[in-house]
Amino acid sequence: MLLQIMESEKLKIAIQGVKGSFHEEAAYKYFGQDIETLECESFKRTCELLKLGKADYVVMAIENSIAGSILPNYNLLRDYRFHILGEVHLHIQQHLLALPGTKLSDIKFVESHPIAIRQCDEFLSEHPEWIVKEGMDTASSAQAIVSEKLTNTAAIAGEAAAKIYGLDIIERRIETNKKNATRFLILSNDVVEQKNANKASLSFQTGNAVGSLAIILQCFAEQNVNLSKIQSMPVVGKRNEYDFYVDVEWKKQSDYDAAIRKVLKHSVNFNIMGEYVKNEKV
């Protein structure tokens, strides 16, 4: 009974994918091992669990150093308006996994998440005879090989998935860029003030006047606030109108505060999505 109570008190973290996924690895890196990860078939499902209070937090990939921004997730950030509590950078090492005893010559099909496939384009191009299929997640592709006893199929996934599902790594480090990294956001229903915050994620719209975006960017520059990322997304149903998502970093809180005051004068639908401590470690 005591064990059940203790387990019920663990933080519940919604992740896209299954056990052994990179999302689970990112959750462990941020929260530690003493958590319960909730497996979800889609990013939208993770958001629904958080919205309904069935999860305490969501771990969501937002960009990869090879594949770029994960654009559909920006739409989810806009629709659900969760608070960004923090970020995690994870060094991604992709391996080719298969059932024990499987040889490279036995492979006819390779399956993984679309982003993982893109990360391994160069390696896959060396095997044009393989049929590459997109799956829900890296780890779920590994899981399917075991559950369906697929002797002619390999999955692109991480080492954790190989260990959990008992698969052999028949080719290591098949990612094109060995500095491959993914940035994950930690999402919360509640605004949680972060002491020593030095990074923020913001969203806003601009007017249609010439140079309107440049004026806003200049506001940051004048206050010594570094713009580390900018992403634009079309406003649904409005031609030639865009939401801009930016990440900014600062050394002095007063500089950041002054920049925000200036930007408010030149933007529309301004929103501070989260203020948090920049994650330096990959």
Side-chain angles (χ1 to χ4, degrees):
M1 183 64 178
L2 179 60
L3 179 60
Q4 290 178 339
I5 294 174
M6 290 176 64
E7 287 180 346
S8 67
E9 293 176 349
K10 287 184 178 181
L11 286 177
K12 293 180 172 61
I13 315 299
I15 61 170
Q16 189 273 328
V18 301
K19 298 289 183 183
S21 67
F22 291 112
H23 274 84
E24 185 177 59
E25 189 175 338
Y28 286 144
K29 184 175 181 180
Y30 189 87
F31 293 101
Q33 296 288 323
D34 193 26
I35 59 174
E36 179 184 351
T37 53
L38 306 180
E39 301 174 344
C40 299
E41 71 279 3
S42 66
F43 287 112
K44 183 175 178 62
R45 179 59 181 163
T46 66
C47 292
E48 282 297 307
L49 290 184
L50 182 57
K51 178 183 176 181
L52 296 171
K54 295 181 179 180
D56 296 304
Y57 302 100
V58 163
V59 174
M60 176 184 285
I62 198 66
E63 62 179 314
N64 175 264
S65 58
I66 297 175
S69 296
I70 304 174
L71 298 182
N73 287 355
Y74 279 97
N75 290 331
L76 292 174
L77 293 176
R78 177 199 64 203
D79 295 342
Y80 285 90
R81 301 185 72 84
F82 293 136
H83 179 71
I84 299 174
L85 180 69
E87 64 179 1
V88 176
H89 290 274
L90 202 63
H91 188 197
I92 304 296
Q93 296 183 357
Q94 301 286 13
H95 309 301
L96 194 69
L97 315 183
L99 288 172
T102 303
K103 299 176 182 178
L104 206 61
S105 57
D106 298 327
I107 302 302
K108 293 183 180 179
F109 303 94
V110 174
E111 182 174 324
S112 193
H113 189 277
I115 298 295
I117 292 171
R118 287 173 60 188
Q119 292 169 9
C120 303
D121 277 344
E122 190 173 295
F123 174 80
L124 292 173
S125 68
E126 297 172 2
H127 299 275
E129 72 278 10
W130 291 347
I131 297 174
V132 180
K133 300 188 296 182
E134 294 184 354
M136 180 189 80
D137 175 60
T138 54
S140 64
S141 297
Q143 185 184 55
I145 289 176
V146 177
S147 61
E148 299 175 30
K149 298 180 174 60
L150 303 176
T151 58
N152 62 354
T153 302
I156 297 173
E159 189 168 358
K163 291 178 179 178
I164 289 173
Y165 302 111
L167 296 174
D168 282 353
I169 298 178
I170 57 177
E171 285 286 341
R172 287 184 173 273
R173 303 298 307 275
I174 64 172
E175 67 274 10
T176 301
N177 189 326
K178 304 310 176 188
K179 294 184 179 180
N180 184 22
T182 295
R183 177 181 174 228
F184 300 81
L185 299 179
I186 311 300
L187 307 181
S188 170
N189 253 325
D190 304 315
V191 175
V192 181
E193 185 176 350
Q194 299 290 304
K195 293 182 178 179
N196 303 316
N198 58 1
K199 186 172 183 178
S201 294
L202 316 170
S203 67
F204 55 84
Q205 297 170 18
T206 66
N208 290 321
V210 174
S212 56
L213 177 59
I215 291 172
I216 291 178
L217 300 185
Q218 186 62 29
C219 291
F220 292 119
E222 289 172 351
Q223 297 302 141
N224 297 311
V225 174
N226 181 45
L227 185 71
S228 59
K229 180 179 174 63
I230 183 168
Q231 180 69 54
S232 64
M233 295 288 290
V235 176
V236 178
K238 295 185 178 181
R239 185 180 178 186
N240 296 328
E241 292 190 26
Y242 295 88
D243 285 311
F244 292 96
Y245 297 87
V246 301
D247 293 333
V248 297
E249 303 169 9
W250 63 90
K251 293 182 179 179
K252 293 174 61 178
Q253 183 69 34
S254 57
D255 287 341
Y256 168 70
D257 293 339
I260 295 301
R261 288 194 294 269
K262 288 183 177 181
V263 170
L264 282 169
K265 297 177 182 178
H266 301 285
S267 62
V268 180
N269 294 330
F270 180 86
N271 179 36
I272 298 177
M273 302 165 67
E275 297 171 342
Y276 47 93
V277 178
K278 177 183 178 182
N279 178 238
E280 302 281 0
K281 297 180 180 179
V282 178

